[in-house]
Amino acid sequence: MITTVTIFIPLLGALLMMLLPKEFEERRVRAIAAAVAAVPLALALYVYFVYRHDLGAPALTQNVTWVSSLNIGYRVGLDGIGFGMFLLTALLTLIAVVAAWDVRRNLRQYFALLFVAEVGMLGVFAAQDLVLFYVFFELTLLPMYLLVGAWGDENRRAAAIKFFLYTFLGSTIMLAGFLAFGILAGSFSFSTLEGGGGLSRAAQVAVAAPIVLGLLIKVPAVPLHGWLLDVYLSSPTSTNVVLSGILPKLGTYGLLRVAIPLLPQGVHPFLPYIAILAVVNILYGAFVGFMQPDLKALVSYSSLATLGFILLGASAVNTVGYNGAVLQQFTHGLYSALLFVVVGIFQARTGTREISQLGGLVGRMPWAASLFAIGSLAAMGLPGLAVFSSEFMTLLGGYDAHPVQAVLAALGIVTGAFYFLYMLARVIFGPIKNPAYEAIQDATPLEMTAIFPLAALLVLIGFFPGLLVVVQHHAVQSVLTVIGGG
């Protein structure tokens, strides 16, 4: 029951937001929203501390028949592959609520939509049924479209439409594969479908093709990333937290928990191409990010590059690579959310995101600049910070399965380090370029509440990656045993 309660508590929060009187003080609305967002996080932490060794197979499950003739059911449960993202979703939603300081109008509606999106995201990472997975997957689409389209900048409407069209196209293609798979196998339950659901290799390939394509659009994998930059640039800071930290993982998680375990023979022919797309993501994100004059655009492309390592680890289908991919989903969410929030703080203080107009911020904003440096160093894969462990594991596993692609991917780390160091030198170090910056203030206690936990977790998991690997390792081994991976 705790899984279902955790998923749907945010829905009660959304209803509560809509029922609050219009004359309610903004400060109290924010406090109530934060209290609501803290509940799923507290429940997820409880599951971590009590059940973290018992998630090798789906636990804390609920199974209720929905459509008996098609064997569709409300089936949810937590396993080691999805739990990390389940926990991160709860954490980043709370961070997004705290970081919504730039949202000044229709605040109750903003938080209500954010909570509806949280229901969808939590549900995806707990679903144990293909139809339910799709329902939760789609549930995130409309609220995110409205969050971008109603609260974004002057380009928000075009960005929101592009986001909607891309992701709706991807999910529709994926649904076609899900329906074909479930009807042919006679069930939509993950437990029944594991290993192919009795389908022949040819049938698995035919079913896997639309599913993999739909998930790659969601990631997004280059060249299916046309919506990414416009949406990231147009969104308010707190929406960026969810957009960058959670939404792309619906696609990567779908590969790791649905496509590969349920259709191993069907996905196998596509794995080398997924590895190639991983390298394209990494190198394209690194090189294009280097050329960006806008700090937020640079962070967006670095995020795109880091997602490539998840694809590389998933395509390896071995213990090290798969564990690295699952872990990289979590670590990527931490650093990308941290960087987007600090970029928002910089913009609020200086009035610009142009890298050429920034400089010397560490002198005036030592806390914000230092935490921004930690996020940037984590993104580079510096040892001692969380991304190093996950990225290293994806490369190691990737080299065993796709050595050429892994070597090329490693070049992306070098390029990423170069442009991040170059960016840090121009943004936070050196002399203050604009005399007006002499008067700016460091991050407030509220802003520190949003960014400090993310930086602290990057350091903590950097030194102790086993805190998460212990949760996911047995679930990864179970998947590899079923599909015959090594």
Side-chain angles (χ1 to χ4, degrees):
M1 185 57 78
I2 190 172
T3 305
T4 294
V5 171
T6 307
I7 292 171
F8 288 102
I9 280 287
L11 189 59
L12 295 178
L15 294 173
L16 178 61
M17 287 293 114
M18 298 310 297
L19 292 174
L20 289 178
K22 291 181 180 177
E23 58 274 14
F24 228 57
E25 289 180 25
E26 179 183 309
R27 182 172 55 85
R28 296 173 69 184
V29 173
R30 293 181 187 277
I32 293 172
V36 170
V39 177
L41 177 60
L43 293 173
L45 286 172
Y46 169 79
V47 172
Y48 173 82
F49 286 111
V50 176
Y51 297 99
R52 64 184 182 278
H53 298 292
D54 304 321
L55 300 180
L60 305 170
T61 58
Q62 284 86 57
N63 188 342
V64 179
T65 300
W66 193 358
V67 183
S68 57
S69 59
L70 295 174
N71 199 11
I72 298 172
Y74 173 80
R75 302 181 177 102
V76 295
L78 298 174
D79 64 37
I81 294 179
F83 180 74
M85 288 310 303
F86 192 82
L87 175 61
L88 186 67
T89 298
L91 171 64
L92 292 190
T93 302
L94 177 57
I95 297 290
V97 169
V98 175
W101 46 70
D102 55 346
V103 178
R104 295 293 181 186
R105 55 187 171 82
N106 300 321
L107 194 59
R108 294 176 302 115
Q109 291 86 344
Y110 181 86
F111 287 140
L113 288 170
L114 188 62
F115 288 141
V116 173
E118 186 183 15
V119 172
M121 293 182 289
L122 290 171
V124 164
F125 299 123
Q128 301 294 323
D129 182 283
L130 283 181
V131 173
L132 190 63
F133 179 93
Y134 173 78
V135 169
F136 282 129
F137 195 95
E138 280 294 85
L139 187 58
T140 64
L141 179 56
L142 184 59
M144 294 310 300
Y145 164 77
L146 293 173
L147 288 171
V148 176
W151 283 273
D153 66 9
E154 64 274 11
N155 300 314
R156 61 187 182 276
R157 292 186 176 85
I161 290 172
K162 191 180 288 187
F163 168 77
F164 187 92
L165 291 177
Y166 264 92
T167 52
F168 184 68
L169 173 65
S171 59
T172 303
I173 293 171
M174 181 184 72
L175 175 62
F178 281 178
L179 292 177
F181 189 18
I183 291 171
L184 288 173
S187 175
F188 289 86
S189 167
F190 285 7
S191 61
T192 305
L193 297 175
E194 277 188 350
L199 270 63
S200 67
R201 183 180 184 278
Q204 286 193 42
V205 172
V207 168
I211 294 175
V212 171
L213 176 59
L215 293 171
L216 289 176
I217 292 174
K218 190 69 175 182
V219 172
V222 179
L224 307 171
H225 68 295
W227 59 271
L228 180 136
L229 186 62
D230 291 342
V231 174
Y232 279 20
L233 292 184
S234 297
S235 300
T237 297
S238 68
T239 306
N240 277 136
V241 170
V242 176
L243 272 172
S244 65
I246 305 298
L247 262 292
K249 317 305 169 39
L250 303 188
T252 56
Y253 174 76
L255 286 172
L256 291 162
R257 183 63 186 92
V258 179
I260 294 175
L262 303 189
L263 292 160
Q265 294 183 56
V267 174
H268 187 267
F270 301 111
L271 292 178
Y273 301 103
I274 294 174
I276 292 171
L277 288 175
V279 174
V280 173
N281 258 54
I282 293 166
L283 296 181
Y284 176 84
F287 282 108
V288 177
F290 179 69
M291 296 185 290
Q292 297 305 309
D294 184 309
L295 189 56
K296 199 172 187 180
L298 184 149
V299 174
S300 302
Y301 279 111
S302 81
S303 174
L304 185 71
T306 310
L307 289 169
F309 288 98
I310 303 175
L311 296 178
L312 181 65
S315 69
V317 194
N318 55 40
T319 301
V320 178
Y322 224 76
N323 269 298
V326 175
L327 185 59
Q328 179 87 348
Q329 293 187 118
F330 192 95
T331 60
H332 169 270
L334 290 179
Y335 98 74
S336 64
L338 172 60
L339 291 183
F340 274 112
V341 175
V342 180
V343 168
I345 296 171
F346 285 164
Q347 184 180 6
R349 297 293 191 282
T350 64
T352 183
R353 298 193 310 250
E354 292 295 317
I355 295 174
S356 61
Q357 296 181 30
L358 298 169
L361 295 183
V362 73
R364 301 305 311 163
M365 307 177 67
W367 276 107
S370 298
L371 297 182
F372 185 71
I374 289 176
S376 300
L377 294 173
M380 291 162 44
L382 192 75
L385 295 171
V387 181
F388 169 76
S389 304
S390 54
E391 219 161 74
F392 183 74
M393 290 165 73
T394 60
L395 280 174
L396 201 60
Y399 184 79
D400 190 47
H402 313 288
V404 174
Q405 288 92 328
V407 170
L408 291 173
L411 294 177
I413 296 179
V414 178
T415 309
F418 181 72
Y419 75 75
F420 263 113
L421 289 173
Y422 183 65
M423 178 272 291
L424 287 175
R426 300 181 69 189
V427 171
I428 69 173
F429 297 117
I432 294 178
K433 295 179 181 177
N434 188 335
Y437 297 168
E438 295 285 356
I440 62 176
Q441 301 295 315
D442 203 353
T444 65
L446 177 65
E447 291 165 339
M448 287 297 292
T449 303
I451 56 179
F452 184 78
L454 299 171
L457 283 171
L458 284 171
V459 176
L460 180 67
I461 297 172
F463 281 98
F464 305 103
L467 292 171
L468 288 176
V469 174
V470 71
V471 179
Q472 67 187 50
H473 179 69
H474 294 298
V476 168
Q477 283 304 120
S478 298
V479 167
L480 295 178
T481 300
V482 169
I483 66 178

